[in-house]
Amino acid sequence: MTSANSPAGPAASGSSLSAGRRVRDLTAAVGGDAVDVLVVGLGATGAGAALDAASRGLSVVAVDAHDLAYGTSRFSSKLIHGGLRYLASGQLDVAHESAVERGVLMERTAPHLVRAQPFVLPLTPLVSHRQSALARAGFQAGDILRLTARTSRATLPAPRRIPATETRHLAPAVRAGGLRGGLLSWDGRLTDDARLVTAVARTAAAHGARILTRVRVLGLSSSGARVRDELTGEEGRIRARAVINASGVWAGGLVDGIRIRPSRGTHLVLRPYSLDPLPAGLHIPVPGETNRFVLVLPQDDGRVYVGLTDEPVDGDIPEVPEAPETDIGFLLDVLCSVLDVPLRRDDVVGAFAGLRPLLDTSASGPAPRTADVSRRHAVLTSSEGVVTVVGGKLTTYRRMAEDAVDTAVRVRRLPAGPSRTTSLPLVGAASPQVLAALPGPRRLVRRYGTEAPAVHALGAHDARLSEPVLPGHPVTGAELLWAVRHEGALDEGDLLDRRTRIGLVPADRAAALDAVRELLTSILPQHS
């Protein structure tokens, strides 16, 4: 774990990703000597595989046709789940794995990005006494999972029944009539899923991995890939002793025999005033379902997310999926079932949808609902030796990456020891005591950890960088400059849609676009 005296700046660790480093690393990778491992895809699992392999001492190149966290990894619920849902469906191994990985992130590798989030399940007249008893038993079972995963009580408090007055305090927007109280539980909450991927990728870079965005794979084999630089159009070949396909819902397009059954998860974005102050998140039972909930998730920037659907997606896979009106209507209906003042469609200022890369294992007959498809991950090796990792979820990305690298090491007989990533802190990580003592705004500490003072200092040295990019939104020009200098952002889309989440609200994105472009063209050259 990073100590209070450790250098906070990226230069000390070599983790900076920038346009200049990309050019140098791409030049060395294309047409150069064979590396030990080529990873395709830079979502959470691909970045995790790059880190796992590089931290074992292997030479690594990791590529993505777009940006870090361009696909599913930026469209999650921003939660690190403990596996409660999988207990209810009898998937004990998946539930335990989720609880273990949650503890790893919260207590060892990313305590700056993952912290405890309280949730309230309001016991409204729509929740029967039987449903209440089942939910309470589930939360208690989840606490046993926490215990078996050896996550401390200080990290995740115990679930409990709370009276109606406390329920209304934690969730003032909930209808008071007929409210019998609530069930209070805790889970892990990410500051931002795309920031987690960025931290993983930068930590991999600090261990020597070449992290290359805007590099598209045109053809893949067990000995490497033919690639194209999407910025210049130039093509070439990256040679590798082992290849890991971690391209998520697009995995089947690179390796024959991989059948993916995508599932769409949609979230709504609401303004802060839509639900009054919201000290806790909400679990709202989905009518007719025993173990599905709509989640209400307050964010550090004041917005509120509401999710989550689980609908199959047929046909071609879009690069950026859209949230259909049917999903939006469903989420609004469930949410409004517990609110004192119902929301309208006009209250939804944004929506986003991600595609879960579920492995299709149905050999014949009707396929099960995607909500019922197992979230177990799978590591598959093609006949010629390409390793593909699919399935799983954001919480278990580290274990998925470890299993993929283990397989590649075994199949391709690479000289590497066991994985180190259960105890390897990500860039910015430190103990809660060290994080609490850092100078600067708490919001920055929750996003950058030990690097927060360096980010804050950029604004102190240039008043233009200390101002919010968008009125009413906390992101400043200093954060955009940091993203370009150290986090691999190459254009306004990277800045608005992944390094920050301004772009989740289309009106905000449009309002901030000119300021971001001005920063890219005028301020940044003076600070390069």
Side-chain angles (χ1 to χ4, degrees):
M1 186 65 68
T2 305
S3 72
N5 297 319
S6 295
S13 61
S15 68
S16 286
L17 298 177
S18 64
R21 179 167 179 172
R22 176 189 177 276
V23 170
R24 293 190 298 272
D25 284 351
L26 182 60
T27 300
V30 175
D33 294 338
V35 295
D36 293 319
V37 179
L38 169 65
V39 179
V40 181
L42 280 167
T45 305
L51 172 56
D52 190 285
S55 64
R56 300 190 199 200
L58 298 172
S59 57
V60 177
V61 172
V63 302
D64 195 287
H66 299 287
D67 184 26
L68 302 174
Y70 185 85
T72 303
S73 293
R74 65 168 154 145
F75 293 130
S76 76
S77 295
K78 324 297 184 252
L79 291 176
I80 299 298
H81 287 293
L84 181 60
R85 177 179 174 185
Y86 312 111
L87 273 183
S89 58
Q91 300 178 60
L92 301 183
D93 55 342
V94 179
H96 179 69
E97 181 177 272
S98 297
V100 168
E101 294 302 318
R102 177 183 62 183
V104 167
L105 281 161
M106 296 186 77
E107 296 186 334
R108 285 178 258 170
T109 63
H112 60 311
L113 295 176
V114 188
R115 64 186 190 275
Q117 170 70 48
F119 283 93
V120 173
L121 193 164
L123 298 177
T124 69
L126 296 176
V127 181
S128 69
H129 289 280
R130 180 177 179 274
Q131 287 175 309
S132 172
L134 286 173
R136 191 171 188 183
F139 291 140
Q140 294 293 342
D143 194 49
I144 294 173
L145 268 183
R146 174 205 59 78
L147 180 64
T148 62
R150 299 184 179 180
T151 304
S152 75
R153 172 70 72 219
T155 300
L156 287 169
R160 58 186 174 90
R161 172 83 181 254
I162 58 176
T165 52
E166 188 174 354
T167 300
R168 287 274 292 167
H169 172 73
L170 292 173
V174 169
R175 188 181 306 122
L179 187 66
R180 307 192 307 274
L183 301 178
L184 177 65
S185 61
W186 298 78
D187 215 337
R189 171 192 165 188
L190 261 175
T191 297
D192 187 337
D193 47 7
R195 292 214 61 75
L196 174 66
V197 177
T198 300
V200 175
R202 290 184 57 209
T203 309
H207 283 82
R210 293 175 181 143
I211 304 297
L212 301 175
T213 60
R214 307 305 201 284
V215 175
R216 184 179 297 276
V217 170
L218 304 175
L220 195 63
S221 71
S222 61
S223 61
R226 185 166 56 89
V227 300
R228 180 176 67 227
D229 180 353
E230 295 291 76
L231 299 184
T232 66
E234 295 180 2
E235 296 184 9
R237 182 167 182 81
I238 298 175
R239 298 190 299 127
R241 298 176 185 88
V243 175
I244 296 176
N245 175 19
S247 53
V249 289
W250 297 282
L254 293 175
V255 176
D256 292 338
I258 305 295
R259 296 173 56 198
I260 303 296
R261 190 161 182 237
S263 165
R264 184 182 62 244
T266 296
H267 293 80
L268 313 181
V269 184
L270 308 176
R271 294 288 190 197
Y273 53 75
S274 300
L275 295 175
D276 296 323
L278 198 60
L282 294 178
H283 282 132
I284 306 174
V286 175
E289 302 275 358
T290 58
N291 66 337
R292 283 189 66 200
F293 301 90
V294 163
L295 304 178
V296 179
L297 307 157
Q299 303 298 303
D300 287 343
D301 61 9
R303 295 169 177 171
V304 178
Y305 302 156
V306 179
L308 177 69
T309 63
D310 200 329
E311 298 296 330
V313 175
D314 299 318
D316 294 336
I317 299 172
E319 288 190 348
V320 179
E322 294 185 359
E325 286 297 324
T326 51
D327 285 8
I328 295 172
F330 164 77
L331 292 171
L332 269 180
D333 287 346
V334 177
L335 173 62
C336 290
S337 70
V338 303
L339 297 183
D340 193 22
V341 179
L343 299 179
R344 303 182 307 274
R345 177 63 179 84
D346 291 346
D347 294 309
V348 179
V349 295
F352 59 91
L355 301 181
R356 304 174 184 90
L358 304 180
L359 184 64
D360 187 355
T361 58
S362 57
S364 60
R369 298 185 312 165
T370 52
D372 298 327
V373 175
S374 173
R375 267 46 175 180
R376 290 183 179 89
H377 67 270
V379 178
L380 311 171
T381 305
S382 71
S383 57
E384 67 166 14
V386 175
V387 174
T388 297
V389 54
V390 292
K393 54 195 188 305
L394 182 66
T395 301
T396 58
Y397 84 90
R398 190 212 62 81
R399 179 59 187 273
M400 294 169 65
E402 176 185 336
D403 289 351
V405 176
D406 279 346
T407 300
V409 166
R410 184 184 70 253
V411 170
R412 307 302 289 180
R413 296 176 179 167
L414 300 178
S419 175
R420 300 172 49 210
T421 52
T422 55
S423 58
L424 190 64
L426 302 182
V427 166
S431 69
Q433 294 78 17
V434 170
L435 294 173
L438 290 172
R442 292 300 92 190
R443 187 188 71 85
L444 292 183
V445 174
R446 289 192 292 268
R447 294 179 64 79
Y448 299 94
T450 58
E451 294 185 325
V455 178
H456 187 56
L458 292 177
H461 294 145
D462 189 328
R464 292 173 297 177
L465 297 176
S466 66
E467 297 297 321
V469 175
L470 179 72
H473 198 281
V475 171
T476 66
E479 293 174 73
L480 302 186
L481 174 58
W482 186 269
V484 172
R485 275 186 170 182
H486 304 300
E487 296 180 341
L490 299 178
D491 62 19
E492 60 262 26
D494 294 351
L495 293 171
L496 290 168
D497 301 330
R498 289 166 292 278
R499 303 309 181 276
T500 73
R501 308 320 292 272
I502 293 173
L504 289 179
V505 176
D508 290 352
R509 192 185 199 281
L513 189 56
D514 286 345
V516 172
R517 285 175 174 168
E518 180 183 352
L519 186 78
L520 285 169
T521 58
S522 64
I523 296 180
L524 290 178
Q526 301 173 29
H527 293 79
S528 60

